[in-house]
Amino acid sequence: MAEASRILQTSLIPNFHPFHKTHISQLRPAVTSFRRSPSTNIHCSSVSTTDQNTKTTPTQNAIPWGCDIDSLENASALQKWLSRSGLPDQKMTIERVEVGERGLVALKNIRKGEKLLFVPPSLVISADSEWSCVEAGEVMKKNSVPDWPLLATYLISEASLLESSRWSNYISALPRQPYSLLYWTREELDRYLEASRIRERAIERVTNVIGTYKDLRLRIFSKHPDLFPEQVFNLETFRWSFGILFSRLVRLPSMDDKFALVPWADMLNHSCEVETFLDYDKSSQGVVFTTDRPYQPGEQVFISYGKKSNGELLLSYGFVPKEGTNPSDSVELSLSLSKSDKCYKQKLEALRKHGLQASQCYPVRITGWPLELMAYAYLAVSPPSMSSQFAEMAAAASNKSGIKKDLRYPEIEEEALQFILDGCEFSISKYNKFLQQSGSLDLDVTSPKQLNRRLFLKQLAVDLCTSERRILFRSQYILRRRLRDIRSGELRALKIFNALMAILSDMSHVKGCNVTNSIE
């Protein structure tokens, strides 16, 4: 896991890309220059979110803006504001839905291949958007702050102005506290996701956010306290703004892959069964998506957030699709070199030349595992006699393109498959332990509010672990079958060899007898 101090050296972690997904991942955000009316050139004001001496946690409502995640009142106000601001008439409206709590529902018949939304660039938030607090925006851009931290700060700045900001209706409709893993406490991550590798991803993400905030505080905010008061620009508000970005930011291919928040479009919920994404349409000059199926009035309209695993969807969006419904689902399998290996140092050196470590994680899908994983397994089990091939194996274990991945070493294939199987079975044992104990995890909670939250988070964790274990079970079955085939083939070959040797022995014996008889 990257340390915050190292991350901060990379200019406010430019690695904050939809890595793990930006809302509607694979969609790339639209971004254009915006014009603001002269009346919006106002000075910043402060809004006290909480007493400075009060330590807040993700379970507390320390954010004074936004709304409950299932609120329709603020969403309705957003819809009216968008219409007044130039959003054309839509064939969809915001309603309470079964999947996603709030979503866009068809008002009329919608055909397959029809373009919807048409959100104009003037209603899109990007790094080019003008700041209500002009001085704050100038300071951020003067310091060349990357898009992600810049947008996070911009969102807080506009939110703190409440109704003075042109984006007040949009911000009021945003969730005050989503259920993404960014809002889980460390205790909750350790308690519910101990078996899943997504826990490490969540911890790393939290570390990155904290590192970004501390760097901004040190380099910029502390030098301009009048523009960035700590009562407003603090760790809790940054946790909120980054949570919004991770769950709603998009990239639009036709707009040079710039990042943006697209009001109205981010009310669309995800379905694993659709493959349609947002993009900027030059002909209509708006952000649109093209439906890949028809919708009847009253049906919820869906979009794809990208080909994400259940763990990645939980990480950024706070939900887990129903088991078996996500064709892009995967689980990260952790494998490690054995320190007792006589060639441990030599193998580790070969891995490090390609940016790899002694312990590596590879995604395993229901359909199989990547060639890189098999290459790593070959390296892990290879004997000293194959040292000349360590470099080739390590290169194939990396994600670098242009390197031959489909390596075959028949002499150690059985050992490599067994190595992967052992890794699967070890991971399965951790999932089994969690799922067996999950029923008693919350018996010590007395507060009804805390109990409801924990039960909800636990159910998400159970759903995730069940789906990830299912993939490992499938991999376990495939590995055992292949090992059985190899071993039965070896057994057949051994039997044939023994039979052949017996025949040769008999022939030799008969020939020896004839010779003896001839001598006599």
Side-chain angles (χ1 to χ4, degrees):
M1 181 174 64
E3 295 180 358
S5 59
R6 176 166 54 82
I7 294 171
L8 298 183
Q9 297 174 5
T10 62
S11 184
L12 293 179
I13 49 179
N15 60 319
F16 261 137
H17 47 12
F19 104 3
H20 310 327
K21 175 139 203 159
T22 54
H23 184 96
I24 307 173
S25 139
Q26 269 197 332
L27 310 40
R28 310 276 207 263
V31 156
T32 61
S33 297
F34 303 113
R35 300 275 180 194
R36 297 180 57 81
S37 61
S39 61
T40 57
N41 186 12
I42 58 178
H43 292 283
C44 298
S45 61
S46 300
V47 177
S48 178
T49 61
T50 182
D51 187 278
Q52 282 184 280
N53 297 321
T54 302
K55 293 183 178 180
T56 61
T57 69
T59 59
Q60 293 177 309
N61 290 332
I63 306 302
W65 47 74
C67 64
D68 292 335
I69 204 166
D70 62 347
S71 171
L72 286 180
E73 181 180 354
N74 298 70
S76 177
L78 169 66
Q79 190 170 4
K80 294 177 182 178
W81 170 74
L82 288 169
S83 297
R84 295 195 304 268
S85 302
L87 185 74
D89 291 340
Q90 302 285 310
K91 287 189 175 183
M92 302 174 293
T93 187
I94 302 172
E95 290 186 7
R96 182 170 286 110
V97 293
E98 292 183 0
V99 179
E101 297 185 329
R102 294 184 303 185
L104 297 185
V105 173
L107 290 172
K108 304 176 181 179
N109 286 318
I110 296 175
R111 302 184 309 275
K112 178 180 178 180
E114 190 170 347
K115 291 183 179 180
L116 300 176
L117 288 181
F118 302 100
V119 179
S122 59
L123 294 176
V124 175
I125 297 175
S126 76
D128 298 327
S129 296
E130 294 183 12
W131 293 56
S132 296
C133 182
V134 178
E135 299 94 329
E138 290 175 348
V139 168
M140 295 293 287
K141 292 177 181 180
K142 181 180 178 180
N143 283 273
S144 301
V145 178
D147 285 359
W148 273 74
L150 179 69
L151 283 168
T153 308
Y154 177 84
L155 201 58
I156 297 170
S157 177
E158 296 297 320
S160 69
L161 298 176
L162 302 179
E163 295 182 2
S164 297
S165 169
R166 67 163 296 202
W167 302 108
S168 62
N169 288 100
Y170 173 61
I171 293 170
S172 295
L174 294 174
R176 184 179 293 113
Q177 187 184 79
Y179 283 110
S180 76
L181 295 188
L182 193 61
Y183 289 85
W184 290 33
T185 65
R186 180 58 183 268
E187 178 191 1
E188 289 164 346
L189 291 172
D190 293 342
R191 186 183 188 94
Y192 299 120
L193 295 177
E194 181 181 4
S196 176
R197 293 292 303 181
I198 207 67
R199 170 181 168 274
E200 280 70 28
R201 292 270 293 276
I203 293 172
E204 181 179 14
R205 177 166 292 186
V206 172
T207 301
N208 287 350
V209 171
I210 294 173
T212 300
Y213 166 72
K214 288 183 176 179
D215 187 57
L216 288 171
R217 168 61 51 195
L218 177 65
R219 296 201 304 115
I220 301 174
F221 298 166
S222 62
K223 297 177 181 179
H224 304 276
D226 55 326
L227 298 176
F228 305 101
E230 193 168 359
Q231 295 94 332
V232 175
F233 298 88
N234 52 59
L235 184 55
E236 285 309 310
T237 57
F238 266 85
R239 188 192 300 272
W240 172 80
S241 62
F242 268 108
I244 296 300
L245 296 185
F246 278 120
S247 62
R248 280 172 159 74
L249 201 65
V250 300
R251 291 186 301 177
L252 301 175
S254 298
M255 298 298 292
D256 299 325
D257 280 350
K258 291 183 179 179
F259 296 107
L261 291 168
V262 185
W264 180 254
D266 58 12
M267 290 292 175
L268 286 160
N269 289 316
H270 170 80
S271 172
C272 300
E273 298 176 356
V274 302
E275 296 183 358
T276 184
F277 305 97
L278 291 183
D279 199 0
Y280 179 75
D281 182 61
K282 294 181 180 179
S283 61
S284 61
Q285 297 186 341
V287 178
V288 305
F289 74 96
T290 304
T291 59
D292 60 358
R293 52 153 290 187
Y295 292 94
Q296 301 295 322
E299 281 190 278
Q300 183 177 182
V301 180
F302 292 101
I303 200 169
S304 174
Y305 290 179
K307 295 182 178 180
K308 302 295 177 181
S309 70
N310 286 1
E312 289 171 318
L313 291 171
L314 176 60
L315 179 64
S316 291
Y317 302 97
F319 71 88
V320 177
K322 185 178 179 181
E323 182 183 1
T325 63
N326 183 4
S328 300
D329 196 14
S330 65
V331 57
E332 291 188 4
L333 180 64
S334 178
L335 300 172
S336 299
L337 297 179
S338 172
K339 290 188 177 181
S340 62
D341 189 329
K342 295 180 180 179
C343 301
Y344 175 81
K345 291 184 178 179
Q346 192 175 355
K347 292 178 180 179
L348 179 58
E349 182 181 357
L351 288 170
R352 285 178 172 171
K353 287 181 179 180
H354 296 279
L356 304 178
Q357 300 298 324
S359 295
Q360 286 296 130
C361 289
Y362 292 95
V364 176
R365 300 183 182 278
I366 199 74
T367 53
W369 47 86
L371 296 173
E372 290 86 351
L373 186 154
M374 194 66 195
Y376 181 93
Y378 279 135
L379 178 64
V381 303
S382 55
S385 60
M386 299 182 71
S387 60
S388 62
Q389 294 160 298
F390 287 174
E392 180 183 49
M393 296 176 186
S398 71
N399 59 2
K400 296 178 181 177
S401 60
I403 297 175
K404 182 181 178 182
K405 306 288 186 180
D406 192 12
L407 305 179
R408 293 295 302 275
Y409 302 98
E411 64 273 33
I412 59 172
E413 184 166 3
E414 179 181 347
E415 291 85 348
L417 292 174
Q418 184 63 54
F419 176 76
I420 299 173
L421 177 60
D422 292 342
C424 286
E425 293 182 337
F426 177 74
S427 292
I428 288 172
S429 68
K430 294 198 296 183
Y431 285 108
N432 287 340
K433 181 181 178 181
F434 166 74
L435 292 171
Q436 289 168 2
Q437 296 178 346
S438 61
S440 60
L441 282 178
D442 302 291
L443 297 181
D444 60 337
V445 179
T446 55
S447 167
K449 186 175 181 180
Q450 186 181 13
L451 177 62
N452 289 338
R453 173 183 167 82
R454 286 199 170 181
L455 288 175
F456 181 77
L457 299 189
K458 186 184 75 171
Q459 187 58 57
L460 288 173
V462 168
D463 291 344
L464 175 66
C465 290
T466 300
S467 68
E468 291 187 338
R469 186 181 65 168
R470 172 176 174 266
I471 297 173
L472 291 173
F473 273 146
R474 174 64 177 169
S475 299
Q476 180 188 53
Y477 169 77
I478 294 173
L479 287 162
R480 286 177 174 175
R481 188 177 64 183
R482 288 178 62 175
L483 284 168
R484 184 176 64 247
D485 291 344
I486 290 174
R487 290 162 182 168
S488 61
E490 291 175 350
L491 183 59
R492 285 195 300 271
L494 181 60
K495 289 180 178 178
I496 293 173
F497 176 77
N498 289 337
L500 179 60
M501 292 301 295
I503 292 172
L504 292 175
S505 177
D506 290 343
M507 290 176 63
S508 175
H509 177 68
V510 171
K511 185 177 181 180
C513 291
N514 290 337
V515 171
T516 302
N517 290 337
S518 65
I519 292 175
E520 292 177 348

